[in-house]
Amino acid sequence: MAIACVNGEKRQGKSFLFLICCALAGIMPHGIDSPKNLFPAITLSLLLGIYGLKVVLMAFSKAEKSPVVFSEDQELPSVDVLVSAKDEEAVIGRLVKRLTSIRYPKNKLKILIIDDGSQDRTLDILEGLKHECSNLQVICRSRASRGGKSGALNYALEKAHGEWVFILDADADFHEDILLRVVPFAQEGEWGAVQLRKAVVNSKRNLLTCCQSMEMAMDAFIQQGRQSLGGVVELRGNGALLNRKALDNCGGFNEETVTDDLDLSFRLLIAGSSIGILWDPPIHEEAVETFSALLSQRQRWAEGGLQRFFDYWPFLVSNKLNAAQHFDLGSFFLLQYALPVVSFIDLITSIFTKSFPVFWPLSFVAFSMSGLALYRGCRRRIALGPALPYPTPLNLIMSIIYLSHWFFVIPLITIKMSFMSKNLVWVKTVHSGD
């Protein structure tokens, strides 16, 4: 049975309730004498610290089995490659040429690129490349069409009939054998979806892109650790292979969210479809190169991340999930979303009361686990894709400082969602193609 996409009409009220709970958690310990006021933070630090350490140590703790690589003459399932492109003239030509070189039986591969109302030369470039890619189908949508990227992908699904759907962003790059590697991995693991590790191609551009490259390695590393403990793996949009039946069972892509990938991760989970994570081969993409672009991107990610918890919490606390999944999601929510807001309130309260913050033990644990995951993730052997920045002490320190931006972005978005009702706006990441 398909899971209905939540329209999010009550998100503002849920966000306000979340903000109040975090505010109480951040303020109340200041009314207790020291050191008793540290008890909640120390208790949570031990509980979440032990789990976080297990996640980091379990990632790749077993000998990783190299994924099977199919040959083109084997019996392979049909795959539809879907790309939503809006104003992507800088990268769309390169993507089409990479898709023409992909090794997969041409009669089993269909490429659908949706021009989502581009106002630059994206459509002209696509039309000009049709003769080079015989299985390329260009689909046009009006710029006034609703639903953002989710709407564009749903529009393309009406014309796609493959057994698997491979989602790419316009700036994606990849190894020519990517489908011959990820499809057997998905079939062997009986996954409803598989997310490829995201690798940053411009990590040497500046310090910001270097930190993002290390962050992506940390994210994939942590996801494999969560999977090893029976936890939850999440989609990251670019480089996601989806089983078409599992996708249809979830009702397609939710057009009432700003992060289609995070939303779909939860709906697949609720429907009983597991998501796998594959380290090699990765999907290559650009990191944003300016701090303003980073903040814009991260605000959207933060908003979408909170939206899915607010939308699907009745399912997430139900018996549809097992104990390991409940604990994993609870720990992730506390560390990723609750901790930054509580710490922000704790800091503000400390300034007004001229006291010391009381949630520093939990923040210390969170940053320590992040540092360890950064180190181990960037030390991880890679067979394919761009080289990872080496985790020197300086790189680790700068990356940990960089990760602190979440402690400002999450509270800011929580406050905005609590007090400002807004229409959904899908803000695309600008790709340079350099």
Side-chain angles (χ1 to χ4, degrees):
M1 180 178 67
I3 298 173
C5 295
V6 181
N7 60 22
E9 292 179 355
K10 299 181 179 179
R11 285 174 182 160
Q12 187 175 0
K14 294 174 182 176
S15 181
F16 182 74
L17 179 61
F18 171 64
L19 179 61
I20 292 298
C21 291
C22 290
L24 291 174
I27 294 172
M28 289 180 65
H30 287 272
I32 304 173
D33 294 336
S34 180
K36 294 180 181 178
N37 58 357
L38 293 176
F39 179 76
I42 292 176
T43 302
L44 282 174
S45 298
L46 290 173
L47 183 66
L48 298 179
I50 291 172
Y51 184 71
L53 187 60
K54 289 177 66 176
V55 165
V56 174
L57 295 180
M58 283 294 291
F60 308 113
S61 59
K62 300 177 182 179
E64 187 181 34
K65 183 179 179 181
S66 299
V68 177
V69 182
F70 279 2
S71 62
E72 294 179 76
D73 56 359
Q74 288 182 267
E75 186 63 30
L76 294 166
S78 54
V79 178
D80 294 320
V81 179
L82 267 58
V83 182
S84 174
K86 176 182 283 189
D87 300 329
E88 297 286 7
E89 64 178 7
V91 294
I92 198 64
R94 183 187 66 189
L95 174 64
V96 173
K97 291 179 180 178
R98 291 297 296 138
L99 288 170
T100 60
S101 67
I102 203 166
R103 291 185 56 205
Y104 207 79
K106 298 303 180 184
N107 64 328
K108 295 292 185 71
L109 182 64
K110 188 175 182 180
I111 300 167
L112 299 100
I113 300 183
I114 312 98
D115 176 69
D116 203 16
S118 298
Q119 294 181 327
D120 61 1
R121 295 181 55 252
T122 298
L123 182 57
D124 294 337
I125 294 172
L126 288 172
E127 293 292 344
L129 290 172
K130 274 186 176 180
H131 68 282
E132 296 184 23
C133 189
S134 59
N135 52 354
L136 169 63
Q137 181 177 350
V138 180
I139 304 170
C140 297
R141 280 211 323 162
S142 165
R143 198 172 184 89
S145 300
R146 297 176 59 83
K149 179 182 176 182
S150 296
L153 294 176
N154 281 334
Y155 191 65
L157 285 177
E158 298 174 5
K159 300 171 176 56
H161 306 286
E163 298 169 69
W164 292 86
V165 177
F166 191 42
I167 308 297
L168 294 176
D169 286 347
D171 66 321
D173 200 357
F174 41 81
H175 191 270
E176 63 181 10
D177 288 341
I178 192 165
L179 288 178
L180 296 178
R181 294 171 181 268
V182 68
V183 169
F185 176 81
Q187 290 185 316
E188 183 178 323
E190 298 182 344
W191 304 110
V194 174
Q195 176 61 54
L196 300 176
R197 173 175 62 90
K198 295 169 73 172
V200 171
V201 295
N202 56 340
S203 63
K204 296 181 180 180
R205 181 61 57 87
N206 55 41
L207 178 61
L208 190 61
T209 59
C210 175
C211 290
Q212 289 173 81
S213 179
M214 296 181 71
E215 181 186 23
M216 292 300 105
M218 176 193 74
D219 177 69
F221 188 85
I222 289 175
Q223 291 235 61
Q224 286 216 335
R226 293 174 67 185
Q227 181 177 268
S228 298
L229 292 175
V232 176
V233 173
E234 300 174 309
L235 297 173
R236 294 293 183 252
N238 194 15
L241 182 70
L242 312 173
N243 181 280
R244 180 59 191 267
K245 289 183 179 179
L247 179 59
D248 289 342
N249 190 44
C250 292
F253 296 93
N254 185 1
E255 299 182 21
E256 296 293 336
T257 181
V258 293
T259 49
D260 56 284
D261 47 358
L262 297 179
D263 183 273
L264 181 59
S265 300
F266 273 15
R267 288 189 290 114
L268 285 168
L269 175 67
I270 295 165
S273 295
S274 299
I275 301 174
I277 178 78
L278 186 59
W279 184 265
D280 272 324
I283 194 75
H284 314 171
E285 66 176 25
E286 294 180 12
V288 296
E289 298 179 2
T290 64
F291 190 67
S292 60
L294 179 77
L295 286 181
S296 177
Q297 180 192 69
R298 297 313 165 94
Q299 287 183 63
R300 179 174 63 84
W301 290 3
E303 183 174 0
L306 281 169
Q307 282 177 355
R308 59 185 173 144
F309 276 100
F310 296 155
D311 290 349
Y312 302 113
W313 73 267
F315 296 100
L316 301 178
V317 298
S318 70
N319 57 9
K320 287 182 176 292
L321 308 186
N322 59 41
Q325 292 170 330
H326 280 305
F327 189 76
D328 175 80
L329 281 176
S331 301
F332 178 79
F333 181 77
L334 288 173
L335 287 170
Q336 179 69 27
Y337 298 105
L339 175 60
V341 182
V342 172
S343 297
F344 182 79
I345 300 295
D346 179 30
L347 178 61
I348 298 298
T349 305
S350 298
I351 293 173
F352 276 100
T353 59
K354 298 181 180 180
S355 59
F356 199 76
V358 296
F359 277 91
W360 66 264
L362 191 53
S363 299
F364 176 79
V365 166
F367 281 111
S368 297
M369 290 300 102
S370 297
L372 182 58
L374 283 167
Y375 177 79
R376 297 200 68 202
C378 290
R379 288 290 301 271
R380 172 69 180 157
R381 180 186 64 83
I382 59 172
L384 300 167
L388 294 170
Y390 191 79
T392 62
L394 179 60
N395 280 344
L396 285 173
I397 292 171
M398 295 307 300
S399 293
I400 291 173
I401 294 173
Y402 154 83
L403 288 176
S404 66
H405 74 268
W406 287 114
F407 278 70
F408 298 95
V409 171
I410 298 291
L412 172 64
I413 287 300
T414 302
I415 294 170
K416 288 178 65 175
M417 290 176 66
S418 299
F419 295 100
M420 299 174 61
S421 58
K422 62 182 286 293
N423 296 323
L424 290 176
V425 177
W426 290 264
V427 181
K428 70 179 294 293
T429 299
V430 177
H431 303 130
S432 66
D434 294 338

